[in-house]
Amino acid sequence: MCGIVGAVAQRNVVPILLQGLQRLEYRGYDSAGLVVVNNNRLECIRSNGRVAELATRSAETSGHIGIAHTRWATHGVPSERNAHPHLSGERIAVVHNGIIENYEELRILLAAEGYVFKSDTDSEVIAHLIHSHYARGNSLLDATQTALAELVGAYAIGVVAADNPDQLICARKGSPLLLGVGVKEHFIASDMSALLQVTQKVVYLEEGDVAEVGLLDYRIFDASGKVVERPVHTSELNNESVELGEYRHYMQKEIHEQPQALANTLEAVCNSQSLIPGIFGAEAASTFAQVDSILILACGTSNHAGLVARFWLEEIAGIPCSVEIASEYRYRVSVPNPKTLVVTISQSGETADTLAALNHAKACGHLHTLAICNVPESAIIRQSKLRMLTRAGPEIGVASTKAFTTQLAALFLLTLVLAKQRGKLSAEQEQKHLHELRHLPSAAQAVLKLEPSIAQMAEHFVDKRHALFLGRGLHYPIALEGALKLKEISYIHAEAYPAGELKHGPLALVDKDMPVIAVAPNDTLLEKLKSNLQEVRARGGELYVVADAGTRFQSSEGVHLMQMPEHAGYLSPILHVIPLQLLAYYVALQKGTDVDKPRNLAKSVTVE
Ligand code: G6P
């Protein structure tokens, strides 16, 4: 939520800042701004709307040091006035990602000192606070450190001062920030994708770190103020992985990347003859031996992955599993069981509610934690005892696609490893599952061939205002995910129901204007689902059925088929979601919405 980029270089940094912001736009895109230091003056440009607008306005600007920001509004409407950077006088400029909880008290104190607030944001207090310490003769570093000690809340910040043209100060606590190391130039960014055009060398700042960043060197201070060395990593990302290439949108690209993303995530297992707990970390075998239940905590799409996994974990591994929305769990008084394995699922690894839920679980006495996450070095990964990285590659479209299917693949592996360790998996079953997993990427590839027919089907949805998604059992969470995709990017109100619940209320909504999308795999609940669908047809409801081999559904008046090539057994949810992703994509495309950046949303939700 909000993206930060900063640079100190011998060359003009404005193009670097703008390109970085473009890459970070997935984090928020309601307004953007940048500031450079020029001849002991701050040159600041802000604009409401997208980074492209800022780029047009910045054409004449240049400088060797600067910070920039793309915003997702929390305090104060999206507007030029509330866009970052925030300035204090003509001297200090700050960009901020996070939320300052005590900003109202600080605002009163700073107003009493004579500071005049120009925005409605919580962030502006940071600029004035640093200014007030800087004005007393402290160095920019000291002024920033002193100010940070007075803040309550979460932040990643970048700071520059008009009379300090060689240095930028940055800090993080609760929001991500990293340092990019170039040749006689240094950068800061919310994530590495913003810097790939200038460097692949990265230093991940830790919680509470403050850094002083110059042209030739940088110094990092830990939360206690002590100078520390942090390792320099070489990022595995490259420019190509974050570029659109032949696709029209990132979402479309990411839907198509699923076969490869699944192959990458499953690589270690598929190349081996048997399943080993080590894929979840060195201590996995001993931890798994101690656990008697699973608690999954996640938000959004990641929560849907957890809901699918519950079926697998209970049915295949015979282990009780509950799934909770992270933002609910963190505030609920629950009964902790120290033998529970707490599994957090997160694409970004920085979702504030998931992170807080993880910390809440630990504070309640949960010792065993496992993160399934797509971003190495993210907060959730670092704060968990065990981890498995999904290897989906950067996911940029706000609506999650390949992160979801790779999370499911990782959760299926978890199920198998636990089942094996608990004596619930015979050698023969293990080989059968491994065989099916090896086949999964090509099965996903085959499903993508439905794209042209789904694109046509999408036309039926363009003027609809509501849609109902139905699924049963393992596929009810897929119905939830299909509904989420459609509402996120096409703004059509969509709801998902377990098909058996239809007659307990939602059937009242069904008429010819309510498309009903059913996830219909060839499983034990198929006949029950067919009866539910008859109930829809009998009320004139138009049906769109994602059916797979052997279900004997046929297209007819009012029944439109998305025929899957095969039935994938337990892995079926991973395949059935793909047509629903494509459907949402094409409906949004035809409605002309901003597919990758839907209104009001952001990809990484680093605020509560
Ligand atoms: C946001 C995104 C969703 C995502 C959710 C959880 O709402 O738009 O796509 O599923 O956050 O994010 P996480 O990074 O924790 O998976």
Side-chain angles (χ1 to χ4, degrees):
M1 217 129 249
C2 301
I4 289 178
V5 58
V8 191
Q10 281 168 321
R11 51 181 158 159
N12 176 18
V13 298
V14 172
I16 299 171
L17 297 178
L18 288 169
Q19 200 174 348
L21 283 189
Q22 247 139 14
R23 293 264 168 82
L24 292 178
E25 253 189 327
Y26 73 90
R27 301 178 67 87
Y29 35 80
D30 58 48
S31 53
L34 62 81
V35 67
V36 288
V37 183
N38 248 335
N39 299 323
N40 288 337
R41 276 188 54 246
L42 296 175
E43 216 174 298
C44 180
I45 302 166
R46 287 184 292 229
S47 77
N48 202 15
R50 300 292 160 87
V51 174
E53 171 65 22
L54 178 72
T56 313
R57 291 207 196 175
S58 314
E60 305 294 313
T61 315
S62 72
H64 300 290
I65 177 167
I67 49 177
H69 186 271
T70 177
R71 178 171 187 250
W72 185 86
T74 57
H75 298 64
V77 296
S79 66
E80 198 172 317
R81 203 166 67 85
N82 288 330
H84 297 218
H86 291 291
L87 268 54
S88 184
E90 298 293 314
R91 216 172 164 200
I92 295 286
V94 169
V95 288
H96 168 227
N97 169 26
I99 288 188
I100 303 306
E101 288 166 21
N102 59 338
Y103 81 101
E104 281 170 325
E105 294 150 56
L106 291 170
R107 231 177 139 109
I108 295 167
L109 292 175
L110 288 160
E113 275 186 50
Y115 286 101
V116 177
F117 284 81
K118 295 189 173 144
S119 77
D120 309 315
T121 66
D122 54 330
S123 311
E124 194 181 350
V125 296
I126 308 175
H128 295 314
L129 207 51
I130 294 174
H131 184 280
S132 90
H133 294 298
Y134 195 49
R136 288 182 198 129
N138 294 299
S139 69
L140 187 59
L141 174 71
D142 287 343
T144 306
Q145 280 173 317
T146 314
L148 293 179
E150 292 166 57
L151 300 180
V152 177
Y155 53 78
I157 57 162
V159 187
V160 291
D163 49 0
N164 192 356
D166 302 322
Q167 237 184 19
L168 73 79
I169 307 292
C170 64
R172 70 156 285 186
K173 189 176 155 221
S175 301
L177 197 67
L178 51 79
L179 237 155
V181 182
V183 179
K184 295 189 185 161
E185 51 187 15
H186 290 102
F187 312 93
I188 61 167
S190 299
D191 87 37
M192 196 54 203
S193 65
L195 301 182
L196 289 174
Q197 79 275 21
V198 282
T199 184
Q200 283 196 280
K201 301 256 177 257
V202 54
V203 177
Y204 296 101
L205 295 181
E206 303 223 340
E207 278 297 276
D209 278 358
V210 178
E212 186 181 52
V213 185
L215 199 60
L216 302 179
D217 51 19
Y218 60 87
R219 281 196 304 164
I220 302 174
F221 303 84
D222 68 9
S224 69
K226 204 169 77 211
V227 176
V228 280
E229 294 280 330
R230 301 269 182 240
V232 181
H233 300 266
T234 302
S235 170
E236 281 182 12
L237 295 183
N238 55 37
N239 245 336
E240 205 180 287
S241 61
V242 292
E243 264 159 22
L244 204 46
E246 66 194 91
Y247 295 98
R248 195 156 166 190
H249 294 98
Y250 280 105
M251 183 180 180
Q252 187 192 26
K253 177 180 186 237
E254 287 155 10
I255 290 173
H256 279 267
E257 281 172 345
Q258 291 181 106
Q260 191 56 50
L262 286 165
N264 293 345
T265 301
L266 294 168
E267 191 183 1
V269 222
C270 290
N271 288 340
S272 123
Q273 286 314 307
S274 65
L275 292 155
I276 42 157
I279 49 173
F280 294 99
E283 291 175 68
S286 59
T287 305
F288 292 164
Q290 295 170 56
V291 304
D292 68 3
S293 54
I294 309 280
L295 168 62
I296 296 179
L297 302 171
C299 300
T301 289
S302 299
N303 178 61
H304 295 160
L307 291 171
V308 173
R310 179 162 70 96
F311 283 86
W312 289 333
L313 286 159
E314 299 219 345
E315 196 166 320
I316 305 174
I319 188 162
C321 174
S322 53
V323 185
E324 282 205 49
I325 291 174
S327 56
E328 288 292 308
Y329 171 78
R330 62 181 290 195
Y331 291 115
R332 191 169 77 78
V333 179
S334 52
V335 182
N337 167 6
K339 288 189 172 173
T340 296
L341 175 67
V342 176
V343 180
T344 49
I345 308 170
S346 176
Q347 187 286 127
S348 61
E350 58 171 281
T351 300
D353 284 321
T354 309
L355 198 53
L358 171 63
N359 289 325
H360 178 69
K362 290 203 256 184
C364 290
H366 285 292
L367 305 169
H368 309 305
T369 52
L370 162 67
I372 290 179
C373 183
N374 197 37
V375 179
E377 303 293 335
S378 60
I380 286 172
I381 283 276
R382 283 198 248 176
Q383 293 178 31
S384 302
K385 188 165 142 199
L386 307 176
R387 74 272 313 261
M388 176 165 178
L389 271 183
T390 48
R391 291 178 55 205
E395 192 182 65
I396 292 163
V398 164
S400 183
T401 52
K402 62 178 180 170
F404 179 65
T405 42
T406 53
Q407 286 166 351
L408 288 176
L411 289 159
F412 194 70
L413 290 180
L414 176 66
T415 305
L416 296 184
V417 167
L418 283 166
K420 187 173 172 184
Q421 189 152 343
R422 295 163 64 82
K424 304 267 180 195
L425 198 69
S426 67
E428 196 186 322
Q429 285 169 321
E430 178 180 0
Q431 289 314 314
K432 182 172 167 287
H433 286 306
L434 281 173
H435 175 75
E436 283 164 1
L437 282 170
R438 285 187 197 110
H439 174 61
L440 189 61
S442 56
Q445 192 67 54
V447 177
L448 288 170
K449 296 213 174 81
L450 293 175
E451 186 170 10
S453 60
I454 293 176
Q456 272 184 358
M457 208 175 274
E459 289 169 19
H460 304 195
F461 287 75
V462 177
D463 56 0
K464 296 286 187 263
R465 301 197 50 213
H466 307 275
L468 204 56
F469 284 71
L470 301 178
R472 292 198 75 131
L474 194 52
H475 294 83
Y476 166 53
I478 296 305
L480 284 169
E481 178 59 11
L484 178 62
K485 288 289 86 91
L486 190 69
K487 72 183 116 181
E488 273 180 309
I489 59 169
S490 76
Y491 316 146
I492 293 175
H493 167 231
E495 274 192 80
Y497 269 90
E501 275 292 287
L502 194 60
K503 54 192 172 295
H504 297 295
L507 198 53
L509 299 172
V510 172
D511 62 12
K512 65 177 181 19
D513 293 323
M514 172 72 92
V516 177
I517 301 102
V519 187
N522 188 14
D523 63 12
T524 49
L525 292 169
L526 179 64
E527 293 310 320
K528 306 233 173 285
L529 180 77
K530 280 185 169 171
S531 310
N532 302 142
L533 299 187
Q534 288 301 332
E535 293 157 15
V536 171
R537 275 308 294 140
R539 271 98 191 153
E542 196 94 348
L543 278 174
Y544 296 82
V545 184
V546 190
D548 59 19
T551 49
R552 295 195 306 279
F553 272 103
Q554 289 196 332
S555 292
S556 58
E557 175 73 30
V559 181
H560 310 267
L561 211 57
M562 289 173 252
Q563 180 66 57
M564 304 279 281
E566 57 187 301
H567 176 62
Y570 280 122
L571 297 176
S572 157
I574 302 179
L575 300 182
H576 270 86
V577 76
I578 297 174
L580 302 185
Q581 297 167 342
L582 286 167
L583 181 67
Y585 173 72
Y586 279 100
V587 175
L589 193 67
Q590 287 171 32
K591 287 193 75 175
T593 61
D594 193 339
V595 174
D596 286 332
K597 301 186 189 80
R599 69 183 179 207
N600 306 340
L601 301 180
K603 188 151 190 69
S604 295
V605 185
T606 56
V607 297
E608 263 190 56

